[in-house]
Amino acid sequence: MGQGTDLIRNIAIAGHGATGKTTLVEHLLFSGGSISKPETVESGKTVSDYQEDEIQRKISVHASLCHVNWKDHKINIIDTPGSSDFGGEVVLGFRACEAALVLVDGRAGVQIETIKVWRNLDSHNKARIVFVSRLDEDRSSFWNSVGDMHEKFKINPVPISIPMGEGLGFKGVIDILENKAYVLPAAHDQKELAIEIPAEYQQEVDKARAVMCEAAAEGDDELMEKYVTDGNLTNEEIHKGLIEALELNRIIPAFAGSGLKNSGMTCLLDFIANVCPSPYWLQAEPAIKGEEKHEVKVDPDKGFSALVVKTQIDQFSGRLSFIKVISGKLTADMEIHNERDNKKEKITKLFTAQGKKIEEVKELVAGDIGITSKLSSLKTNDTLHAGYDEGFHFFARGDNPGVFRHSPKRDRFHGVDLRGALTIWRNN
């Protein structure tokens, strides 16, 4: 039985080329138990880079879908290319997901494609988190990368995990939210082990926790009042505040680790499952019905509607249509209506994906992303629905910019100012 809408998380992985996106995805899948062994990009056997041109070039060319089940949540992951030559694949990944995970190279900091990705996310007020990777490599620095983001994006990232050492002295990460340390695994195909936080890092942890508490308080007026009065928040209150702040795109959580060494995966998966927005928080999809403009929100109790986010030709399965269900649910053997050409189609089979491996499922609920095959009429950006008396179609993003906005609650975003807390941290 599949997860309900509230237990689904959709996240797109993006960033500059060669920052380790595919490697990170591989180790998230391994840590979550979706695969038994993580492969390297050089081997040509990674889950998300499986097409011939990707294997030959050893870079991502196409956006690919995979998923991991973590603590009762289904986390759909879309791995996107880092080269600007394939920017359209990044856009479709963002369209399908409620949040993005931006990778930053711990050695190089913010690079040009990182800036382009950030601008795209800003244009849609999309929630995002940052993972600073390759911290096991010489001359890498989590704190320099955080400072670089502050300078280039005028933001104050909120560290949720911090490194124990950096560069050749990297020993693992500390999860500030869950108050645990994870030592660097002996090999990349071994999972992280939790330990007590070493005493030598406690002062740094306390400073990071103060910044996190302040960020959590920004997400809720009652929490802010309590934080100002008491100077602290409970773990439950911090979780609540971070959820609200991230949904409102008021904070940029930052994580430390190394994809290649399988470090930082556990706390990242915990955060995605426990804090990142569910599909209920997806921006309402702009639609037109007759001559009237509408907004269609994610709702499992409404009639079926969906958006085709990607089409792809597979040599074995034929034409694959990647579908994001917006409302209701899609089931096998269901008859659907394609609004673009006013044509009915019969769904025969539905699938979810682990890269090139597709797994048959009976249904896709609102908010989920899956695949149907061999429907030759479907094209990217097509609107599908159950055949209402009056049809409607979703706008492709950019068709009518500025007309449809986030809900008023989400439009409160003006950024969170944590400069004072960060300055205290850096100066001590």
Side-chain angles (χ1 to χ4, degrees):
M1 186 174 179
Q3 281 87 352
T5 300
D6 59 325
L7 295 178
I8 291 173
R9 301 291 182 268
N10 300 309
I11 192 156
I13 314 291
H16 194 85
T19 51
K21 296 181 294 298
T22 299
T23 299
L24 177 73
V25 171
E26 192 76 2
H27 286 85
L28 287 174
L29 295 176
F30 169 66
S31 296
S34 294
I35 58 176
S36 59
K37 178 185 176 183
E39 298 287 352
T40 63
V41 171
E42 289 71 27
S43 73
K45 299 178 181 179
T46 61
V47 172
S48 59
D49 279 3
Y50 59 88
Q51 301 205 37
E52 200 61 41
D53 50 353
E54 295 176 312
I55 294 172
Q56 291 177 356
R57 300 170 69 171
K58 293 182 171 44
I59 63 169
S60 298
V61 175
H62 311 276
S64 59
L65 174 66
C66 48
H67 67 276
V68 59
N69 292 308
W70 186 258
K71 296 185 177 178
D72 298 325
H73 291 73
K74 180 187 180 186
I75 302 174
N76 289 315
I77 301 171
I78 296 183
D79 182 19
T80 70
S83 170
S84 59
D85 294 338
F86 314 111
E89 298 289 301
V90 181
V91 172
L92 71 84
F94 289 167
R95 180 81 190 270
C97 297
E98 289 74 56
L101 191 159
V102 180
L103 248 69
V104 174
D105 189 321
R107 303 163 306 166
V110 174
Q111 297 166 278
I112 183 61
E113 292 305 321
T114 319
I115 294 173
K116 293 178 182 179
V117 163
W118 206 268
R119 288 172 179 167
N120 187 290
L121 292 169
D122 278 345
S123 70
H124 295 101
N125 197 16
K126 181 80 72 175
R128 74 213 71 168
I129 60 182
V130 173
F131 187 89
V132 182
S133 192
R134 309 184 78 162
L135 291 178
D136 59 304
E137 299 184 23
D138 193 24
R139 298 188 301 278
S140 66
S141 173
F142 176 78
W143 303 112
N144 286 349
S145 297
V146 167
D148 198 26
M149 286 184 276
H150 170 73
E151 180 180 344
K152 289 187 170 70
F153 299 139
K154 310 305 177 188
I155 60 163
N156 295 293
V158 179
I160 305 298
S161 68
I162 62 174
M164 294 188 289
E166 292 183 322
L168 301 180
F170 181 68
K171 301 174 184 176
V173 301
I174 298 173
D175 186 339
I176 304 300
L177 183 57
E178 302 299 338
N179 204 35
K180 298 177 182 177
Y182 293 92
V183 293
L184 185 68
H188 82 110
D189 57 356
Q190 294 184 16
K191 297 185 178 181
E192 297 174 286
L193 295 176
I195 64 169
E196 294 292 327
I197 296 174
E200 61 188 292
Y201 297 105
Q202 192 58 55
Q203 186 175 4
E204 195 169 11
V205 168
D206 292 342
K207 293 174 183 177
R209 189 170 180 82
V211 173
M212 184 177 64
C213 282
E214 185 174 341
E218 284 285 340
D220 185 279
D221 293 339
E222 291 183 5
L223 290 182
M224 176 56 76
E225 183 177 349
K226 182 179 185 298
Y227 180 70
V228 170
T229 302
D230 300 343
N232 200 6
L233 298 174
T234 65
N235 279 357
E236 183 178 352
E237 290 168 337
I238 292 172
H239 273 88
K240 179 178 182 295
L242 290 176
I243 290 171
E244 180 78 1
L246 188 58
E247 286 173 344
L248 297 172
N249 198 9
R250 286 182 167 183
I251 62 170
I252 308 295
F255 295 81
S258 168
L260 188 60
K261 295 295 180 68
N262 198 36
S263 179
M265 304 301 109
T266 303
C267 53
L268 181 58
L269 285 169
D270 279 346
F271 189 88
I272 293 172
N274 297 329
V275 179
C276 278
S278 77
Y280 284 120
W281 277 91
L282 179 70
Q283 175 182 345
E285 286 289 343
I288 188 165
K289 188 174 183 179
E291 298 297 324
E292 298 179 0
K293 295 170 184 175
H294 291 264
E295 292 186 344
V296 182
K297 296 183 179 180
V298 171
D299 189 341
D301 298 321
K302 298 293 185 181
F304 165 73
S305 67
L307 181 72
V308 180
V309 296
K310 177 181 170 71
T311 52
Q312 177 178 303
I313 304 299
D314 181 82
Q315 60 177 326
F316 301 109
S317 304
R319 188 181 187 88
L320 300 178
S321 300
F322 292 71
I323 295 173
K324 170 69 175 283
V325 179
I326 305 301
S327 59
K329 67 180 178 181
L330 180 61
T331 60
D333 299 324
M334 181 176 173
E335 191 174 77
I336 61 172
H337 189 89
N338 185 350
E339 184 63 26
R340 176 178 51 80
D341 58 7
N342 198 31
K343 184 177 180 180
K344 291 183 179 179
E345 293 275 12
K346 181 69 175 293
I347 300 292
T348 55
K349 291 184 178 181
L350 293 173
F351 306 91
T352 188
Q354 290 289 16
K356 67 179 179 182
K357 180 183 178 182
I358 57 176
E359 306 163 351
E360 190 171 352
V361 295
K362 293 183 178 180
E363 65 180 29
L364 296 172
V365 301
D368 205 354
I369 303 171
I371 298 172
T372 187
S373 64
K374 300 178 181 178
L375 296 184
S376 59
S377 71
L378 298 191
K379 297 181 180 180
T380 301
N381 278 330
D382 276 355
T383 297
L384 310 177
H385 56 75
Y388 309 125
D389 293 336
E390 296 180 71
F392 66 91
H393 72 266
F394 296 124
F395 284 110
R397 291 285 186 227
D399 281 357
N400 201 357
V403 174
F404 296 94
R405 297 175 56 82
H406 292 252
S407 65
K409 191 174 184 182
R410 294 199 74 177
D411 280 336
R412 291 167 55 197
F413 168 65
H414 296 292
V416 52
D417 188 353
L418 297 176
R419 285 173 295 182
L422 286 171
T423 299
I424 293 172
W425 188 355
R426 289 171 182 151
N427 290 343
N428 285 276

